[in-house]
Amino acid sequence: MTQEIVLRNLDPIEIQKYQQNRYPCFFVDCIEEVVPGKSAKGYKNFTFNEWFFDHNSEEVSEVPEAIQIETLTQVFLMTFLTLPEYKGEKTSFVSVETRHIKPVKVGDRLNISAKLVSVSRGLAKGEAIGTTGGGACLEIKFLIAVPSIMKSFLPQEK
Protein backbone atom coordinates (compact mmCIF):
# COMPACT_ATOMS: atom_id res chain seq x y z
CA MET A 1 0.00 0.00 0.00
CA THR A 2 1.41 3.38 -0.98
CA GLN A 3 1.24 6.36 1.30
CA GLU A 4 -0.74 9.35 0.07
CA ILE A 5 1.32 12.51 -0.55
CA VAL A 6 -0.04 15.68 1.07
CA LEU A 7 1.47 19.11 0.48
CA ARG A 8 0.71 21.75 3.12
CA ASN A 9 0.89 25.54 3.46
CA LEU A 10 2.20 26.45 0.01
CA ASP A 11 2.91 30.18 -0.24
CA PRO A 12 2.62 32.12 -3.54
CA ILE A 13 6.25 31.37 -4.49
CA GLU A 14 5.67 27.62 -4.05
CA ILE A 15 2.29 27.74 -5.84
CA GLN A 16 3.88 29.41 -8.86
CA LYS A 17 6.24 26.44 -9.24
CA TYR A 18 3.18 24.41 -10.24
CA GLN A 19 1.09 26.86 -12.29
CA GLN A 20 1.74 29.66 -14.76
CA ASN A 21 -0.48 32.37 -13.24
CA ARG A 22 1.44 35.55 -12.35
CA TYR A 23 0.66 39.08 -11.18
CA PRO A 24 -1.71 40.79 -11.87
CA CYS A 25 -3.77 37.62 -12.45
CA PHE A 26 -2.45 35.51 -9.59
CA PHE A 27 -5.01 35.47 -6.78
CA VAL A 28 -4.23 32.72 -4.24
CA ASP A 29 -2.64 33.69 -0.92
CA CYS A 30 -2.08 30.14 0.35
CA ILE A 31 -2.76 26.53 -0.54
CA GLU A 32 -3.36 25.07 2.89
CA GLU A 33 -3.47 21.48 1.70
CA VAL A 34 -3.28 19.61 -1.58
CA VAL A 35 -3.54 15.89 -2.19
CA PRO A 36 -2.18 15.56 -5.75
CA GLY A 37 -4.73 13.94 -8.03
CA LYS A 38 -7.55 14.41 -5.51
CA SER A 39 -8.18 17.72 -3.77
CA ALA A 40 -6.92 21.15 -2.73
CA LYS A 41 -7.84 23.74 -0.11
CA GLY A 42 -6.70 27.35 -0.17
CA TYR A 43 -7.75 30.93 0.42
CA LYS A 44 -7.60 34.51 -0.76
CA ASN A 45 -7.93 37.57 1.49
CA PHE A 46 -9.56 40.35 -0.51
CA THR A 47 -8.06 43.56 0.88
CA PHE A 48 -9.04 47.13 0.02
CA ASN A 49 -5.84 47.75 -1.97
CA GLU A 50 -6.57 45.14 -4.68
CA TRP A 51 -6.15 46.66 -8.16
CA PHE A 52 -9.67 45.70 -9.28
CA PHE A 53 -11.61 47.52 -6.52
CA ASP A 54 -13.20 50.92 -7.23
CA HIS A 55 -11.24 53.16 -4.86
CA ASN A 56 -13.31 56.24 -5.79
CA SER A 57 -16.53 54.82 -4.36
CA GLU A 58 -17.65 55.20 -0.75
CA GLU A 59 -19.70 52.00 -0.97
CA VAL A 60 -18.33 48.63 0.12
CA SER A 61 -16.76 47.11 -2.96
CA GLU A 62 -17.69 43.66 -4.22
CA VAL A 63 -15.17 41.33 -5.80
CA PRO A 64 -15.95 41.02 -9.54
CA GLU A 65 -17.38 37.61 -10.40
CA ALA A 66 -14.64 36.99 -12.98
CA ILE A 67 -12.00 37.43 -10.24
CA GLN A 68 -13.88 35.01 -7.98
CA ILE A 69 -14.04 32.43 -10.78
CA GLU A 70 -10.32 32.78 -11.51
CA THR A 71 -9.45 32.46 -7.81
CA LEU A 72 -11.40 29.22 -7.45
CA THR A 73 -9.86 27.98 -10.70
CA GLN A 74 -6.32 28.57 -9.43
CA VAL A 75 -7.00 26.43 -6.36
CA PHE A 76 -8.61 23.75 -8.54
CA LEU A 77 -5.56 23.70 -10.84
CA MET A 78 -3.45 22.56 -7.90
CA THR A 79 -5.44 19.28 -7.73
CA PHE A 80 -3.68 18.05 -10.87
CA LEU A 81 -0.78 20.44 -11.58
CA THR A 82 0.90 18.98 -8.48
CA LEU A 83 1.11 15.63 -10.30
CA PRO A 84 4.64 15.25 -11.77
CA GLU A 85 3.42 14.79 -15.35
CA TYR A 86 1.38 18.04 -15.23
CA LYS A 87 3.64 20.31 -13.14
CA GLY A 88 4.03 23.79 -14.64
CA GLU A 89 1.89 23.08 -17.71
CA LYS A 90 -0.24 25.75 -19.39
CA THR A 91 -4.00 25.26 -18.99
CA SER A 92 -7.13 26.46 -20.78
CA PHE A 93 -10.84 26.46 -19.95
CA VAL A 94 -13.00 24.05 -21.91
CA SER A 95 -16.14 24.72 -19.87
CA VAL A 96 -17.05 26.47 -16.63
CA GLU A 97 -20.46 26.12 -15.01
CA THR A 98 -20.96 28.62 -12.17
CA ARG A 99 -23.56 29.17 -9.49
CA HIS A 100 -23.21 32.54 -7.76
CA ILE A 101 -24.84 32.41 -4.34
CA LYS A 102 -23.86 35.71 -2.71
CA PRO A 103 -21.30 38.47 -3.22
CA VAL A 104 -17.75 38.47 -1.89
CA LYS A 105 -16.81 41.88 -0.50
CA VAL A 106 -13.66 43.79 0.36
CA GLY A 107 -12.29 42.45 3.63
CA ASP A 108 -13.63 38.92 3.08
CA ARG A 109 -11.45 35.83 3.22
CA LEU A 110 -12.58 33.49 0.45
CA ASN A 111 -11.95 29.89 1.52
CA ILE A 112 -11.82 27.46 -1.39
CA SER A 113 -12.19 23.69 -1.48
CA ALA A 114 -11.60 21.93 -4.79
CA LYS A 115 -12.04 18.32 -5.83
CA LEU A 116 -10.66 16.58 -8.91
CA VAL A 117 -13.23 14.20 -10.38
CA SER A 118 -11.00 12.88 -13.17
CA VAL A 119 -7.87 13.68 -15.15
CA SER A 120 -6.91 11.84 -18.31
CA ARG A 121 -5.18 12.64 -21.59
CA GLY A 122 -4.84 16.31 -20.71
CA LEU A 123 -8.43 16.91 -19.60
CA ALA A 124 -9.22 17.61 -15.95
CA LYS A 125 -12.76 17.59 -14.61
CA GLY A 126 -13.71 18.81 -11.16
CA GLU A 127 -15.44 21.27 -8.91
CA ALA A 128 -14.77 23.96 -6.34
CA ILE A 129 -16.72 25.90 -3.75
CA GLY A 130 -15.87 29.28 -2.30
CA THR A 131 -17.09 30.27 1.17
CA THR A 132 -16.73 33.20 3.55
CA GLY A 133 -17.71 33.46 7.22
CA GLY A 134 -21.28 33.89 6.02
CA GLY A 135 -21.40 30.62 4.08
CA ALA A 136 -21.19 29.58 0.44
CA CYS A 137 -20.62 32.30 -2.19
CA LEU A 138 -19.81 30.48 -5.40
CA GLU A 139 -19.83 26.93 -6.77
CA ILE A 140 -18.10 25.93 -9.99
CA LYS A 141 -17.83 22.81 -12.15
CA PHE A 142 -14.79 22.78 -14.46
CA LEU A 143 -13.42 21.09 -17.51
CA ILE A 144 -9.83 22.23 -18.01
CA ALA A 145 -7.50 21.32 -20.87
CA VAL A 146 -3.74 20.93 -20.83
CA PRO A 147 -3.02 21.54 -24.53
CA SER A 148 0.54 20.15 -24.56
CA ILE A 149 -0.63 16.82 -23.09
CA MET A 150 -3.68 16.64 -25.37
CA LYS A 151 -1.50 17.15 -28.46
CA SER A 152 0.48 14.01 -27.65
CA PHE A 153 -2.72 11.97 -28.23
CA LEU A 154 -3.42 13.37 -31.72
CA PRO A 155 -2.85 11.00 -34.65
CA GLN A 156 0.63 11.41 -36.09
CA GLU A 157 0.95 12.52 -39.72
CA LYS A 158 2.86 10.19 -42.01
Side-chain angles (χ1 to χ4, degrees):
M1 187 169 153
T2 60
Q3 188 173 1
E4 193 170 66
I5 296 171
V6 179
L7 305 172
R8 297 187 195 282
N9 299 317
L10 302 178
D11 64 22
I13 303 300
E14 286 293 313
I15 296 166
Q16 291 178 38
K17 291 178 181 176
Y18 295 96
Q19 59 179 264
Q20 293 192 11
N21 293 297
R22 300 293 184 264
Y23 178 86
C25 294
F26 178 76
F27 299 114
V28 180
D29 291 335
C30 179
I31 296 293
E32 297 173 298
E33 178 181 288
V34 61
V35 180
K38 291 191 177 183
S39 64
K41 293 179 183 177
Y43 65 86
K44 167 67 177 161
N45 290 308
F46 287 104
T47 61
F48 178 77
N49 62 347
E50 304 284 357
W51 61 266
F52 47 80
F53 283 135
D54 179 6
H55 295 97
N56 297 319
S57 174
E58 292 186 20
E59 295 181 26
V60 174
S61 296
E62 293 182 1
V63 177
E65 291 178 354
I67 301 293
Q68 293 177 50
I69 292 167
E70 183 60 28
T71 305
L72 269 68
T73 301
Q74 290 176 17
V75 173
F76 172 69
L77 291 175
M78 297 298 286
T79 65
F80 65 94
L81 291 180
T82 50
L83 295 168
E85 62 270 32
Y86 289 96
K87 184 177 179 179
E89 292 287 342
K90 182 177 181 173
T91 59
S92 299
F93 287 115
V94 174
S95 69
V96 180
E97 181 183 323
T98 63
R99 181 173 161 246
H100 292 275
I101 300 164
K102 67 177 193 139
V104 177
K105 297 182 178 178
V106 66
D108 283 345
R109 173 176 156 150
L110 185 61
N111 298 299
I112 303 142
S113 295
K115 181 176 92 174
L116 182 66
V117 174
S118 65
V119 62
S120 178
R121 296 184 174 208
L123 281 175
K125 182 178 181 180
E127 52 197 42
I129 185 166
T131 62
T132 61
C137 301
L138 176 66
E139 295 174 351
I140 303 180
K141 293 183 180 180
F142 300 99
L143 186 57
I144 305 285
V146 181
S148 65
I149 304 281
M150 291 181 74
K151 285 179 186 175
S152 70
F153 290 96
L154 291 174
Q156 300 299 312
E157 291 184 32
K158 292 182 181 182

